[in-house]
Amino acid sequence: MTAEIISDYKNLAANIGQLIAISGYRNDYIAKKIGLQPQTFSVKKGRKSFTVDEIEKIIQVIDNEEVEEYIMLEILRSRKNDENLSGEEFKNLMGWK
């Protein structure tokens, strides 16, 4: 479980620039909302060096349906090689009849 959370965060951090582009918001607008100078924001975006707190603030600003769909798609892609259970296996595991 912890490994999945870390993997999801790394994926989110690696794709934050794409999320910003999908959101439709301009860099200078987001920078202002999270308390960074636009130049600093651009550098951090280019280097993918946002802090955890900055990423959290960015997500709060850009949260919309397109971004949510992109995040879910990336999570699913990152887990495509994970072991899966069939519906029947899941029912048996849960003890359902």
Side-chain angles (χ1 to χ4, degrees):
M1 178 69 167
T2 304
E4 288 178 19
I5 293 169
I6 293 169
S7 175
D8 290 345
Y9 172 75
K10 286 180 178 179
N11 195 18
L12 174 67
N15 291 293
I16 195 69
Q18 183 67 20
L19 293 176
I20 292 167
I22 289 168
S23 76
Y25 291 105
R26 292 178 19 174
N27 287 345
D28 59 334
Y29 173 79
I30 299 169
K32 181 180 177 184
K33 288 291 193 180
I34 69 168
L36 291 176
Q37 293 295 320
Q39 298 83 359
T40 303
F41 182 87
S42 291
V43 169
K44 286 183 166 245
K45 181 180 171 189
R47 292 182 181 166
K48 298 181 181 181
S49 63
F50 290 112
T51 66
V52 173
D53 290 337
E54 290 166 343
I55 289 175
E56 183 178 12
K57 289 176 184 176
I58 291 168
I59 294 299
Q60 289 172 354
V61 170
I62 67 172
D63 187 27
N64 63 36
E65 190 172 319
E66 288 82 14
V67 171
E68 298 250 348
E69 288 175 1
Y70 181 81
I71 290 171
M72 288 305 299
L73 179 61
E74 288 303 310
I75 289 170
L76 291 173
R77 284 182 180 156
S78 73
R79 294 182 181 172
K80 70 179 178 182
N81 294 326
D82 288 357
E83 185 177 331
N84 296 307
L85 296 175
S86 70
E88 191 61 37
E89 291 170 322
F90 182 71
K91 285 180 186 178
N92 290 336
L93 183 65
M94 297 304 292
W96 298 344
K97 294 181 180 181

